[in-house]
Amino acid sequence: MKKYPILFFSFFVLLFIVFEHPLVSESKSCNTHSESEKIEILLKKIGNFNGNFIRNGESHNSKDAENHLRYKLNEAKNSFFAPDPKDWTAKLFIDKIASKSFLSGSPYKIRYPNGKEITSATWLYEELKKIENCL
């Protein structure tokens, strides 16, 4: 008779492990975003960023930055020299579109509300890591 509470407890522990363990539960669907979805998520993160985007030494709000990068991406995808649109990856987007000015070669920067600045590439790769790790 005393064995049943132990079996009952063990059963619930087993259920908890099965359904709460990261390898079994949510991580299966965690990294299921396509590359185009990752790019879209990154663009939205830029547009919702609470800070400024520095391009060629000029400060732009986050919505303007998102619009600018969408424009650059669309132009690049329609370029004869660019990879086929279906072959674009989030890393390619960061490296070729969202990291520096095509005209001046100056790196884009992100300015936080506290004044701290980092390159957009650094910020975007951090955000991409969060997307891929479901953070």
Side-chain angles (χ1 to χ4, degrees):
M1 228 171 161
K2 291 183 180 182
K3 291 182 182 179
Y4 291 112
I6 292 172
L7 289 173
F8 190 72
F9 176 75
S10 299
F11 175 74
F12 281 107
V13 169
L14 180 62
L15 282 177
F16 177 79
I17 291 170
V18 168
F19 288 106
E20 293 300 323
H21 193 277
L23 292 176
V24 177
S25 62
E26 295 177 21
S27 67
K28 283 186 178 178
S29 63
C30 181
N31 194 11
T32 59
H33 295 294
S34 69
E35 291 298 319
S36 61
E37 289 171 332
K38 290 177 191 177
I39 293 169
E40 183 60 29
I41 293 168
L42 289 172
L43 284 164
K44 287 180 180 178
K45 285 181 174 278
I46 291 166
N48 293 322
F49 179 69
N50 183 24
N52 291 64
F53 189 80
I54 311 301
R55 188 175 85 232
N56 293 323
E58 293 184 24
S59 181
H60 301 272
N61 69 44
S62 56
K63 281 296 179 192
D64 288 344
E66 178 186 357
N67 291 336
H68 175 72
L69 294 177
R70 281 185 188 283
Y71 172 77
K72 277 184 71 175
L73 179 62
N74 287 332
E75 290 295 311
K77 284 183 174 182
N78 292 321
S79 169
F80 177 75
F81 300 105
D84 190 285
K86 67 178 175 34
D87 294 332
W88 278 81
T89 65
K91 290 178 181 181
L92 186 63
F93 165 72
I94 293 169
D95 292 341
K96 301 298 182 188
I97 303 298
S99 293
K100 65 182 178 180
S101 168
F102 175 75
L103 296 175
S104 71
S106 299
Y108 293 152
K109 295 182 180 179
I110 298 290
R111 182 181 296 145
Y112 290 90
N114 67 4
K116 176 186 172 188
E117 289 184 7
I118 62 171
T119 64
S120 64
T122 299
W123 186 82
L124 286 164
Y125 272 111
E126 288 173 8
E127 294 301 314
L128 180 58
K129 190 182 299 182
K130 291 176 189 176
I131 294 165
E132 292 177 341
N133 292 321
C134 298
L135 300 175

